[in-house]
DNA sequence: TCTCGGGATGGTAGCGCTACCAATTTTGTG
DNA sequence: CACAAAATTGGTAGCGCTACCATCCCGAGA
């Protein structure tokens, strides 16, 4: 019986086509492409020529199937549009673009259950590494991560008990520093305004609370939170709520910069002088913070660098030399600006 | 010779394990999973039980290899952090999350060459569909898209000559409407401020120019552009430049909302009254535009919906019923706000 | 001269799944 | 009730690639 040239695939050149053209065995082509130093100079050139002539591109699916390892990094973030995670993803993407690894993106929508589902799904692909945002995985998720059989990097936060590796910073310390800055600047009735109270925001709040208690200024009525997704317009509304509760409010530490911007706009609208009557501090230090009028004090975090670092650590682990420092704290910086310059 | 149970794969259950457990053939399991209606009620239940007990998850790589079609949507955008494209990606992601399709994300960094490289790479995976931002592909890119052998959707813009399908709107019309609005509001020396002059921005500029010429108001000195990546801080600087060139400037149509926000802040800083002395119009209508003080007039675009629509069209095409309307114009809306209420 | 080690190359046998077709059972029809 | 048609199930043969092992060739050392 005559075997058809190719039953299904669209006639795209395969590794055997290249091998035939170059007059070598298929396996040698495979080697020339993956471990060039193990193939003689001459064959390597011949093979490269055949590859170019045919326009051969290896099929990543066949490769993954044969080697039981996909050249894929699984990346889990809670939001695609939140600029903070977009920056992390950009860092990961840029660091990976020169490598053969692709990115498999998952959006958990801040849901533990969705995270479990995605982890389950990603596991079936035998990824080369997993990068997940946060350190508060549910027990099933944690188990999945531990049995993933690949390097795992938890990003955005640091904590005492990594699944494998970690890159981030302390949100509690960030919240504390922001609050202490307000206190030092002379503010006393300092509110906390936070939307989308995910675990990281909770820790910023804990930092706020610690600082306030240390200064003997804490009052639960100063805290205004909501589970609603954060946005600039929400910041505006929340300042109104906070002022309704505590008319003597003279400062706010915002959960993030979007909220801070909304707060600033509401101050303008209500003719509340910033920083004179109310001081404002944000979190993350988006570009617009330094441009706002008045410019807004914020905690600068290193999102892009976190993404890059996570990839670097994962790649090192894949290459066999696992970094000895498993927890990397990239810290943060307080950017003092006009909004707290009383 | 004894065949080892599994030479490589980490002992994860395969389709044959499920088949054995359910007492059926492997192919029936495959069918039960992909086309349940073609398997009897009873077997379906048995198989589902076996799947659950074993925790079986199909290997997408093997699946892709066998069926010569990966369950992957290739998505090409020029930026991951630009909120506009993040929204498109979110729409795509959400529409795809209930389907078996995954997303393969590519960041072209606004580079035609990078786009070609990524298209070449994506092609090797035989994606189920391709979604690409923009309509200005280079000739090689266009050829790659045409020969991709899968549905292709160009998004964010509409134009006369789709590779396959299109979802977007007319940036030229958007630019024209924004400018006409300023003219109607009584502004005369209306500037155009644009960063990152990609093809879409170019067309917005063309719309601006058309409107200005129609009104007999066009003056090349009113146009200020830069290839630099757009940001709020850049908006601030560019307004300064524009005012230095044309001190009588009394309105600006900004390339996008980031620029518009920067312009607004600079006006505050320089004590220029908005909308009295200068009117401002942005583009895209990000959430913050309606909260800003004064709130900023902008062209509302439907990014999330574009993503959803693109997926819907691609899925329909995959299912065999290609939508008869190949070009979908989702339009835009002018949101009139305080920044132009003279 | 002969053996041995090591580098270069190739053959074989799958990886886990599905396309294709064959076999079997069930249902419908006159 | 016989026979065709439809529905259901299974076997076989790869998809394109790489792990594993065998083979070959060369120069070094005995």
């Amino acid at each position: 019986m005559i075997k058809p040239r190719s039953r299904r695939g669209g006639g795209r050149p395969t590794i055997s086509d290249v091998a035939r053209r170059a007059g070598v065995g298929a396996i040698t082509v495979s080697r020339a492409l993956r471990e060039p130093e193990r193939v003689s100079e001459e064959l390597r050139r011949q093979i490269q020529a055949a590859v170019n002539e045919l326009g051969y591109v290896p099929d990543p699916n066949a490769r993954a199937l044969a080697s039981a390892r996909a050249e894929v990094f699984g990346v889990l973030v809670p939001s695609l549009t939140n600029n903070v995670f977009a920056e992390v993803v950009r860092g990961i993407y840029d660091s990976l673009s020169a490598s053969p690894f692709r990115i498999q993106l998952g959006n958990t929508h801040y849901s533990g259950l969705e995270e479990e589902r995605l982890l389950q799904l990603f596991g079936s692909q035998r990824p080369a590494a997993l990068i997940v945002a946060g350190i508060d995985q549910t027990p099933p998720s944690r188990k999945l991560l531990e049995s993933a059989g690949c390097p795992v990097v938890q990003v955005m936060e640091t904590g005492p008990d990594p699944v494998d590796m970690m890159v981030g910073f302390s949100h509690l310390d960030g919240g504390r520093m922001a609050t202490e800055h307000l206190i030092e600047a002379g503010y006393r009735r300092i509110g906390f305004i936070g939307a989308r109270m995910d675990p990281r925001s909770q820790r910023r709040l804990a930092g706020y609370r610690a600082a306030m208690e240390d200064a003997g200024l804490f009052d639960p009525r100063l805290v205004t939170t909501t589970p609603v997704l954060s946005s600039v317009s929400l910041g505006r509304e929340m300042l109104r709520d906070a002022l309704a509760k505590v008319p003597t409010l003279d400062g706010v530490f915002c959960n993030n910069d979007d909220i801070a911007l909304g707060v600033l706009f509401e101050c303008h609208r209500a003719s509340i002088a910033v920083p004179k009557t109310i001081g404002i501090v944000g979190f993350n230090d988006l570009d617009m913070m330094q441009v706002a009028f008045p410019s807004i004090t914020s905690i600068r975090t290193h999102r892009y660098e976190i993404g890059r670092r996570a990839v670097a650590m994962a790649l090192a682990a894949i290459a066999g030399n696992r970094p000895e420092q498993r927890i990397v704290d990239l810290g943060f910086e307080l950017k003092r600006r006009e909004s707290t310059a009383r």
Side-chain angles (χ1 to χ4, degrees), chain A residues 112-341:
Chain A
L113 262 148
E114 180 64 4
E115 187 168 54
E116 284 172 27
R117 195 184 71 81
L118 288 167
L119 243 22
Q120 175 84 24
L121 203 66
F122 283 20
S124 70
Q125 295 191 59
R126 308 167 189 220
L130 286 170
I131 299 179
V132 300
I135 62 177
D136 302 276
Q137 283 77 27
T138 62
S141 286
R142 205 176 157 97
K143 203 160 289 172
L144 283 165
L145 286 172
E146 279 161 359
S147 62
C150 68
V152 173
V153 190
Q154 291 162 292
V155 295
M156 288 312 285
E157 283 192 81
T158 51
D161 186 25
V163 170
D164 183 4
M165 296 176 280
M166 265 182 185
V167 193
F169 60 95
S170 164
H171 290 252
L172 190 139
D173 290 351
R176 187 201 298 268
M177 182 182 280
T179 310
E180 284 172 351
H181 168 68
L182 280 163
I183 296 171
E184 276 163 29
Y187 299 99
R188 287 296 169 268
R189 297 290 281 168
I190 303 164
F192 176 92
I193 294 185
R196 167 54 76 196
M197 291 303 289
D198 64 15
R200 287 167 291 288
S201 291
Q202 297 284 5
R203 282 189 268 275
R204 289 174 209 160
L205 171 54
Y208 157 85
R209 181 167 182 157
M212 291 295 275
E213 284 177 343
D214 285 356
L217 294 171
F218 183 70
D219 174 348
R221 286 182 311 150
L222 290 168
V223 176
T224 309
T225 66
T226 162
V228 175
L229 249 173
S230 162
S231 68
V232 179
S233 41
L234 190 60
R236 180 182 172 190
E237 289 166 29
M238 291 187 78
L239 178 65
R240 287 217 202 102
D241 294 351
L243 280 171
K245 272 193 302 185
V246 183
T248 57
L249 201 74
D250 70 351
V252 278
F253 167 42
C254 303
N255 176 43
N256 65 41
D257 286 346
D258 286 341
I259 298 292
L261 193 62
V263 165
L264 176 67
F265 283 136
E266 176 59 17
C267 286
H268 281 168
R269 215 166 270 280
S271 297
I272 298 168
V274 177
K276 191 156 175 276
T277 309
I278 284 190
I280 303 174
V281 178
F283 202 97
N284 280 323
D285 196 30
L286 304 186
D287 162 63
M288 61 178 79
M289 294 291 107
Q290 64 174 2
V291 188
F293 179 74
S295 60
I296 303 176
T297 298
S298 193
I299 300 285
R300 157 72 57 91
T301 58
H302 309 290
R303 289 95 58 190
Y304 183 75
E305 188 55 27
I306 286 175
R308 296 201 63 114
R309 212 39 187 277
V311 169
M313 291 172 78
L315 286 176
I318 289 169
N321 38 8
R322 190 168 282 276
E324 52 192 64
Q325 203 188 338
R326 294 175 54 192
I327 303 180
V328 174
D329 189 336
L330 253 29
F332 51 82
E333 296 158 58
L334 174 70
K335 295 285 184 181
R336 293 158 206 264
R337 304 232 173 74
E338 296 162 353
S339 71
T340 54

Side-chain angles (χ1 to χ4, degrees), chain A residues 73 87-103 131 303-315:
Chain A
F73 271 47
E87 286 278 344
V88 175
V89 171
R90 189 170 65 91
I92 293 171
Y93 186 97
D94 287 354
S95 295
L96 241 30
S97 63
S99 80
F101 295 99
R102 292 164 289 153
I103 292 176
I131 299 179
R303 289 95 58 190
Y304 183 75
E305 188 55 27
I306 286 175
R308 296 201 63 114
R309 212 39 187 277
V311 169
M313 291 172 78
L315 286 176

Side-chain angles (χ1 to χ4, degrees), chain A residues 32 36-49:
Chain A
E37 71 285 357
R38 301 212 351 166
V39 173
S40 70
E41 175 72 24
E42 196 190 328
L43 281 195
R44 212 185 309 164
R45 250 204 316 277
Q46 280 176 41
I47 291 171
Q48 192 53 54

